[in-house]
């Protein structure tokens, strides 16, 4: 880990503790806290992304405040020039847009780092990013973004704002509204409510996979994922957003993920998912994991992660989150068929 990312990680830990203590010691004075202001701006920003106008009622629900406290917070935001009345609610001013975009950018970049580089489960990163987003300096964000390969989306499929303004990409169409029998690609998965998000991920619903609605009724729908068929309620299918963009790259049809290669099995690397960018991709290439290289699962782990792989005469340890981006053709000489669909 380079010094920048190590420093950011230390900062993140301190920020989480500091914000927690601040909220514990400032009960009843939420409107004075910078995190509360930023959380409100972020909520209004999220409504803006969906074409909706936020209100004191929606802010109260999102931040866990009483309606009175939310009203006082909105009044303070108006006095500070962050928001202005609009369509029965409030919208961001230019100053508010800039601050909201900066907070959202920090949040989504940090989520991207925690998943791609730190190996955190996608279900665990939202709260950690909430604690970190308020204090990252612009230069730190620029360095973090560059180290990650300038990602366009966070792990949930939300667009990451640029340093200059708001994103323009739409999150796609809710799966609940998608026609039956038309293949689609999942581009966004709502991460709130958190329990629903965790349940969806556990059942195999994630960003950047294909899906097809097989049938629909008044209760929900049945869909086909790469891992099999799944039933979703109307509320669950509304949290999944899809589009019909063509998949630019598909794994070789005769290959499996390196994470799926059995213990002591051998194979030949056929590809690394081009969607993998930044430090993780460079680390895999530095280890010698390039197309054409022979690889063998040499050391297993009773806990599953990491496993030891022998490649180009060197033993390297990879977590399954890293190995899943590498595709291999299994060697027929180790007892496998050599072909996987």
């Amino acid at each position: 880990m380079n010094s920048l990312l190590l420093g950011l990680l230390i900062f993140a830990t301190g920020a989480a503790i500091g914000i927690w203590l601040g909220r514990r010691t400032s009960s009843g004075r939420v409107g004075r806290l910078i995190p509360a202001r930023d959380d409100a701006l972020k909520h209004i920003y999220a409504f803006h992304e969906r074409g909706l106008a936020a209100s004191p009622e929606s802010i109260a629900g999102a931040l866990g405040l009483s309606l009175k406290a939310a009203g006082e917070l909105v009044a303070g935001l108006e006095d500070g020039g962050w928001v202005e009345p609009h369509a029965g609610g409030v919208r961001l001013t230019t100053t508010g847009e800039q601050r909201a975009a900066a907070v959202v950018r920090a949040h989504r970049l940090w989520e991207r780092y925690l998943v791609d580089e730190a190996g955190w489960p996608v279900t665990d990163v939202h709260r950690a990013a909430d604690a970190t987003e308020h204090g990252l300096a612009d230069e730190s964000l620029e360095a973090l973004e560059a180290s990650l390969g300038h990602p366009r989306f966070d792990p949930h499929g939300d667009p990451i704002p640029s340093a200059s303004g708001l994103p323009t990409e739409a999150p796609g169409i809710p799966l609940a509204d998608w026609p039956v029998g038309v293949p689609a690609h999942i581009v966004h998965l709502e991460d709130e409510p958190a329990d629903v998000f965790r349940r969806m991920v556990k059942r195999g619903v994630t960003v950047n996979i294909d899906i097809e609605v097989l049938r629909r009724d008044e209760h929900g729908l049945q869909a086909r994922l790469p891992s099999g068929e799944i039933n979703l309620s109307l509320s669950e299918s509304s949290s999944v957003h899809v589009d019909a963009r063509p998949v630019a790259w598909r794994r070789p049809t005769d290959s499996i993920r390196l994470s799926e290669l059995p213990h002591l099995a051998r194979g030949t690397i056929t590809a690394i998912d081009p969607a993998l960018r930044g430090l993780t991709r460079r680390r895999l290439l530095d280890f010698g994991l390039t197309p054409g290289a022979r690889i063998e699962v040499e050391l297993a782990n009773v806990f599953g992660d990491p496993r030891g792989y022998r490649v180009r005469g060197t033993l390297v340890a990879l977590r399954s989150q890293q190995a899943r981006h590498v595709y291999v053709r299994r060697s027929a000489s180790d007892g496998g068929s050599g072909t996987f669909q």
Side-chain angles (χ1 to χ4, degrees):
M1 181 184 296
N2 63 37
S3 57
L4 165 69
L5 297 182
L6 179 60
L8 287 171
L9 187 58
I10 293 171
F11 166 79
T13 303
I17 296 172
I19 290 171
W20 182 82
L21 288 175
R23 288 178 173 172
R24 292 282 293 179
T25 57
S26 302
S27 177
R29 294 180 286 119
V30 178
R32 300 181 190 179
L33 292 174
I34 289 177
R37 180 202 68 189
D38 287 349
D39 287 346
L41 294 177
K42 190 170 64 171
H43 170 77
I44 300 168
Y45 176 95
F47 267 50
H48 169 83
E49 286 185 307
R50 299 171 186 146
L52 303 173
S55 65
E57 290 80 7
S58 68
I59 292 172
L63 274 62
L65 303 174
S66 67
L67 186 57
K68 178 182 178 181
E72 293 174 351
L73 178 56
V74 170
L77 293 175
E78 287 189 42
D79 291 343
W82 303 100
V83 302
E84 60 189 9
H86 176 70
V90 292
R91 67 180 178 186
L92 298 170
T93 63
T94 299
T95 301
E97 285 183 6
Q98 292 172 346
R99 178 57 189 169
V103 175
V104 171
R105 179 168 177 251
H107 181 103
R108 294 177 181 174
L109 281 172
W110 192 248
E111 286 189 330
R112 188 82 266 172
Y113 167 75
L114 290 176
V115 170
D116 292 353
E117 306 300 337
W120 284 34
V122 69
T123 52
D124 295 348
V125 299
H126 183 74
R127 292 185 64 184
D130 270 343
T132 309
E133 64 193 18
H134 308 283
L136 289 175
D138 290 342
E139 57 270 20
S140 297
L141 284 178
E142 291 174 6
L144 178 61
E145 184 178 38
S147 73
L148 293 171
H150 300 279
R152 295 174 56 209
F153 301 94
D154 74 3
H156 314 294
D158 289 307
I160 298 174
S162 67
S164 59
L166 301 174
T168 58
E169 295 96 336
I173 297 173
L175 185 65
D177 301 328
W178 193 257
V180 172
V182 179
H185 194 72
I186 299 179
V187 296
H188 176 250
L189 182 60
E190 292 285 353
D191 58 356
E192 293 181 339
D195 58 336
V196 175
F197 175 67
R198 291 191 184 94
R199 184 168 66 248
M200 296 282 277
V201 171
K202 186 176 181 179
R203 297 169 67 192
V205 182
T206 60
V207 174
N208 291 328
I209 63 172
D210 293 337
I211 190 169
E212 180 181 353
V213 178
L214 302 177
R215 56 187 62 86
R216 177 187 285 111
D217 59 28
E218 67 273 15
H219 304 295
L221 57 84
Q222 184 180 33
R224 180 186 293 117
L225 299 172
S227 58
E229 295 183 4
I230 186 173
N231 293 313
L232 299 173
S233 68
L234 286 177
S235 61
E236 289 173 335
S237 60
S238 296
S239 71
V240 182
H241 291 79
V242 300
D243 69 22
R245 59 180 179 162
V247 180
W249 180 86
R250 294 184 183 273
R251 75 181 191 185
T253 57
D254 60 349
S255 301
I256 60 172
R257 298 180 189 272
L258 179 58
S259 56
E260 299 168 346
L261 194 64
H263 179 47
L264 299 181
R266 301 180 180 90
T268 301
I269 297 174
T270 56
I272 296 179
D273 189 340
L276 182 68
R277 304 176 68 184
L279 291 176
T280 300
R281 185 179 186 87
R282 289 200 296 271
R283 187 175 300 120
L284 293 178
L285 296 176
D286 290 343
F287 284 156
L289 279 75
T290 57
R294 300 280 296 168
I295 192 165
E296 178 182 357
V297 185
E298 186 164 313
L299 294 177
N301 188 323
V302 293
F303 299 106
D305 264 343
R307 293 202 300 176
Y309 298 90
R310 178 71 61 178
V311 58
R312 300 186 186 277
T314 301
L315 187 65
V316 299
L318 298 177
R319 302 188 308 271
S320 58
Q321 182 65 25
Q322 299 167 313
R324 69 186 301 273
H325 295 289
V326 181
Y327 293 92
V328 299
R329 181 186 303 110
R330 184 173 175 179
S331 299
S333 59
D334 68 12
S337 66
T339 301
F340 294 79
Q341 300 297 331

